[in-house]
Amino acid sequence: MAVRVRFAPSPTGLLHVGALRTALFDFLLARHQGGQNILRIEDTDRSRYSEDSEHEFIESLRWAGITFDEGPHVGGPHVPYRQSERATSGVYVGPVSKLLESGDAYKAFDTTDELAAMRKAQEDAKEPVGYFGGAWRDADPSEVARAEAAGHKYVVRQRIPRGKVIAIDDPIRGHVEWSSDTLDDPVLLKADGMPTYHLAAIVDDHLMGITHVIRGEEWLPSAAKHVLLYRMLGWEIPVIAHCPVILGKDGKKLSKRHGATSVLEYRWEGYLASALNNFIVLIGWSPGDERELLTEQEMIDAFSLEGVQPSPGHFDLDKLKWMSGAHIRLLAADALFDAVKSYLEDPRTIEFWDSREAEPGKPSGHEIAASLTLLRDAIAKDPEYARGVVVLLRERVQTLADFGPGARFFFVDMPEMDPKAVEKWLTQPHVPQLFDSIVQGLDPIAQPTKEDCEALIRGYAEKHGLEKLGPAVHPVRVALTGTTAGPGLFELMELLGRSRIVARLRRAKEIAG
Ligand code: GLU
């Protein structure tokens, strides 16, 4: 039977990295097995559902390259794929009636106050909190009929059998067992007629032919109730797998302190989706060998649920940065240039950086936004030059955003000068003569290549008996870029071209003089 998996988020906020990992595991399993990946929106809690959030989820997943064969945005044989719409179309009515008829579910008329009092009494007595044997579990049918006739509101609860052992074989965690006596009777249908997650997920997983349920470990305690529900309804139980939590590098719950938590934020920060996916998938999963850098196809080929570890995975931002740089360097020049272009063409990129708080020791968000704007405009004006700059800088960046500050000196009329670099390299006595000699040397060469530039600088060093190239290279670099660090000097000279080099050397000579 073909594998059918579903990612079933409840869109109430931003898609965070933990949910992205679940979605990736679904996607990789489906693609590895040649099965289908389904998106189902679990929005039965109408007070928390947000339409904006649903759009954000779908956009994040699309950006991440996670494709779906069925879902609210692509259609499919099981439309609708939003549970609120499924509730309206009546898909949950039959299963609830069946459970009520067989006695596996019952109507409970407790008021909010009564439930609160029960909870308080349980807490005071240090007993497990929940509906274990509330007033309505074993109520007399005539009493139920009377309450219903009087128009009292009720919920439908699952009647958990007593004294049973329930077990699942989770491909990630192995064999897990529960005593049914530890389980309370969950609500299946709310007073407003909406199903709860417990009911809707099981009914939909069955109707949609889901073979594998992959979800976060916070759902592990519910699995026993779900297994019982499948049995009560006489349905086949899918494979149920619970992914470990993702913790920060310090072992604490993942939060803002450890880096962005929402997927789109990584997008605006300039991470390639391929890098974020590679990084996220490896939190808890391993391809079974030492490989760390994996393309999407390599992940698909190697993926299995058995390769997921049950222990918590750690989110290490430094590793993500390293991986991001490595994925940038995996791209061919054209693909990289396209990635930079589309990153900059989305106005949200610049907006994101513009409103970003400054990090100590780094250019401010505003400065990064300005440099990215400069690069974006340069791409529009002179794509060939800008492409050369991007390709030259790719060895030196970790994210797409790094291209902004890195490329800045190529596009401004005159680069800003780092005073320390000026002090160290432009004040030396030979500098004016060095610059003159390069300007003269360039005179007959309309389009100097990197070899021409190297020959000029080496020629100068030899002629003046310099033992090392540094005293010739560094002042030129400072003159052309404003700093002492950057890409290879001869390559950047070839890109800058004669007129920019000459103008910058002349200005630097004035500063030096
Ligand atoms: N709607 C649930 C959530 O947002 C899905 C749990 C599941 O996959 O079964 O976490």
Side-chain angles (χ1 to χ4, degrees), residues 6 8-10 40 42 197 201 205 213-215 218-219:
R6 86 306 190 266
S10 301
R40 184 172 76 220
E42 301 207 326
Y197 161 69
D205 285 345
V213 169
I214 306 174
R215 60 188 183 188
E218 67 274 21
W219 295 109

Side-chain angles (χ1 to χ4, degrees), residues 212-366:
H212 293 68
V213 169
I214 306 174
R215 60 188 183 188
E217 87 177 4
E218 67 274 21
W219 295 109
L220 186 61
S222 304
K225 294 170 181 172
H226 297 174
V227 165
L228 286 170
L229 210 43
Y230 280 113
R231 286 202 198 128
M232 290 165 172
L233 289 162
W235 294 341
E236 203 177 318
I237 304 171
V239 174
I240 311 180
H242 295 91
C243 309
V245 285
I246 302 181
L247 300 174
K249 207 176 160 186
D250 54 5
K252 303 224 169 83
K253 194 172 175 284
L254 196 62
S255 73
K256 270 269 171 230
R257 275 181 305 122
H258 303 104
T261 50
S262 94
V263 170
L264 281 189
E265 206 169 321
Y266 285 100
R267 175 179 181 180
W268 310 131
E269 282 191 5
Y271 291 92
L272 291 178
S274 62
L276 185 63
N277 291 349
N278 186 170
F279 169 72
I280 294 289
V281 159
L282 288 186
I283 303 182
W285 175 77
S286 137
D289 51 41
E290 295 301 303
R291 279 178 302 161
E292 288 213 291
L293 276 187
L294 297 162
T295 62
E296 181 183 288
Q297 193 55 49
E298 286 167 338
M299 292 194 271
I300 291 173
D301 291 342
F303 190 76
S304 77
L305 281 175
E306 286 71 23
V308 180
Q309 297 303 312
S311 51
H314 292 90
F315 188 93
D316 178 351
L317 196 59
D318 292 328
K319 184 162 172 192
L320 170 60
K321 286 188 178 153
W322 166 78
M323 213 167 242
S324 168
H327 271 266
I328 284 180
R329 288 180 275 287
L330 282 180
L331 291 181
D334 282 338
L336 172 62
F337 190 48
D338 285 345
V340 172
K341 263 200 302 201
S342 44
Y343 175 60
L344 296 175
E345 273 161 13
D346 195 312
R348 289 171 295 180
T349 297
I350 312 266
E351 278 165 28
F352 169 83
W353 284 106
D354 240 338
S355 60
R356 179 133 167 129
E357 278 175 37
E359 278 179 57
K362 298 242 177 88
S364 72
H366 196 67

